[in-house]
Amino acid sequence: MYADLAGKVVVITGSSTGLGRAMANRFGQEKAKVVINYFGKEEQAKEVQQEVIKAGGNAVIVHGDVTKEEDIKNLVNTAVQNFGTLDIFINNAGIENEVVSHELTLVDWDKVISTNLTGAFLGCREALKYFVEKQIRGNIINMSSVHERIPWPYFVHYAASKGGMKLMTQTLAMEYAPKGIRINNIGPGAINTPINAEKFADPKTKREVEKMIPLGYIGKPEEIANVAAWLASSESSYVTGITLFADGGMTLYPAFQAGKG
Ligand code: NAI
């Protein structure tokens, strides 16, 4: 637990499921006030709201599409109207779909880029606007992926969005460091969430993925939420502009594990 997170106001995009949900819960345990943004079912968001409250935090839910400027502005406004300020903004919403690259439509390319990269930029921009105006030494966390480093055939739009996120975060971290604002990425490996539930439901695929992870298992959402809590806390006060890979070693070239090559 991080004492300084108690009472902090945190917005988490796409937090009715998966990693967003786990982070909302973790911030609830930290006694933070959480704006739960959802894009899917309201019922799920309400469940997460109850979980956060039960854990000891406070929470409101708000529907919103991260590709829409007005919806992102509304997330910051919701935080301020309900909880009086904004301290932490987590750009977590993201999508992926598998397509042979020469058959990828412009519509699908745009959809992934606008959700994963442009949506995260809009979240950063609106949070930064508020932090600068109110002179808050705020904190931004962007949910990237091991695929900001590892190329991913059939997911070129996804890999491009996360690769873009890497330099977006580094650039913004440099630009806003003089104001004491910190911006970091988390780079998860393979984590058990709805985004890849179908993939991991197939035991053969699951085994193949596990072979790419030196620690030998698919990560739990809580293991990413732990990283988010640390990055949001003052325990990481000297850390900005990094991607913290939480991937069981996936970025370590596991094919070399047996010592050959
Ligand atoms: P998920 O599918 O449970 O979560 C994605 C969330 O984003 C959903 O709640 C969805 O409703 C929301 N969302 C989608 N489009 C949106 C939009 N336009 N506006 C607002 N919200 C929208 O999957 P997961 O795994 O929790 O993904 C969260 C983030 O973690 C994503 O950015 C993903 O790329 C990233 N990630 C996940 C990994 C994994 O293995 N699960 C690995 C690496 C990165």
Side-chain angles (χ1 to χ4, degrees):
M1 302 295 278
Y2 302 102
D4 66 296
L5 290 180
K8 286 275 160 67
V9 179
V10 51
V11 171
I12 310 174
T13 66
S15 50
S16 61
T17 64
L19 302 184
R21 182 178 194 153
M23 289 188 286
N25 269 282
R26 175 60 196 257
F27 281 95
Q29 288 160 20
E30 299 284 355
K31 316 264 178 288
K33 299 166 184 169
V34 187
V35 174
I36 298 162
N37 157 243
Y38 68 99
F39 190 52
K41 296 188 191 108
E42 187 182 8
E43 269 320 297
Q44 263 177 335
K46 282 186 174 161
E47 270 174 35
V48 181
Q49 183 183 26
Q50 288 315 310
E51 288 166 6
V52 173
I53 292 168
K54 207 169 153 200
N58 201 347
V60 291
I61 63 167
V62 53
H63 183 268
D65 179 347
V66 297
T67 68
K68 304 233 160 44
E69 281 186 293
E70 288 315 308
D71 287 10
I72 295 270
K73 284 180 204 271
N74 189 42
L75 297 182
V76 176
N77 289 340
T78 302
V80 175
Q81 277 160 15
N82 285 274
F83 301 130
T85 189
L86 172 73
D87 300 294
I88 302 152
F89 197 105
I90 305 183
N91 289 297
N92 166 72
I95 53 172
E96 65 180 48
N97 70 318
E98 184 174 354
V99 190
V100 179
S101 295
H102 67 271
E103 286 170 5
L104 176 61
T105 63
L106 181 57
V107 170
D108 270 3
W109 169 270
D110 281 344
K111 201 170 160 198
V112 169
I113 297 291
S114 65
T115 305
N116 298 6
L117 182 58
T118 312
F121 169 69
L122 292 174
C124 289
R125 190 190 70 186
E126 291 309 310
L128 286 167
K129 211 179 272 178
Y130 185 79
F131 294 154
V132 170
E133 190 195 319
K134 303 287 179 192
Q135 299 187 343
I136 293 170
R137 298 166 77 86
N139 195 308
I140 298 175
I141 297 170
N142 296 320
M143 196 56 73
S144 182
S145 164
V146 289
H147 297 297
E148 73 161 52
R149 181 184 285 178
I150 306 174
W152 202 15
Y154 314 112
F155 292 85
V156 65
H157 41 351
Y158 183 85
S161 72
K162 301 298 189 182
M165 189 177 249
K166 174 183 180 218
L167 273 167
M168 178 185 80
T169 291
Q170 290 179 345
T171 300
L172 293 175
M174 197 188 283
E175 193 172 334
Y176 291 90
K179 297 191 186 304
I181 299 168
R182 297 193 294 120
I183 311 173
N184 292 291
N185 283 359
I186 299 176
I191 316 294
N192 206 354
T193 71
I195 214 170
N196 43 34
E198 211 176 300
K199 211 166 17 187
F200 298 153
D202 172 20
K204 188 168 163 267
T205 310
K206 186 164 174 271
R207 268 197 308 278
E208 275 166 15
V209 173
E210 283 163 352
K211 274 193 219 145
M212 295 192 289
I213 307 168
L215 282 181
Y217 70 95
I218 288 162
K220 296 187 274 299
E222 296 73 30
E223 294 181 289
I224 302 302
N226 291 344
V227 174
W230 181 73
L231 282 175
S233 80
S234 59
E235 293 282 309
S236 61
S237 52
Y238 209 47
V239 177
T240 195
I242 68 155
T243 295
L244 202 165
F245 288 105
D247 63 354
M250 200 181 228
T251 42
L252 298 176
Y253 293 90
F256 283 79
Q257 203 166 17
K260 302 188 188 92

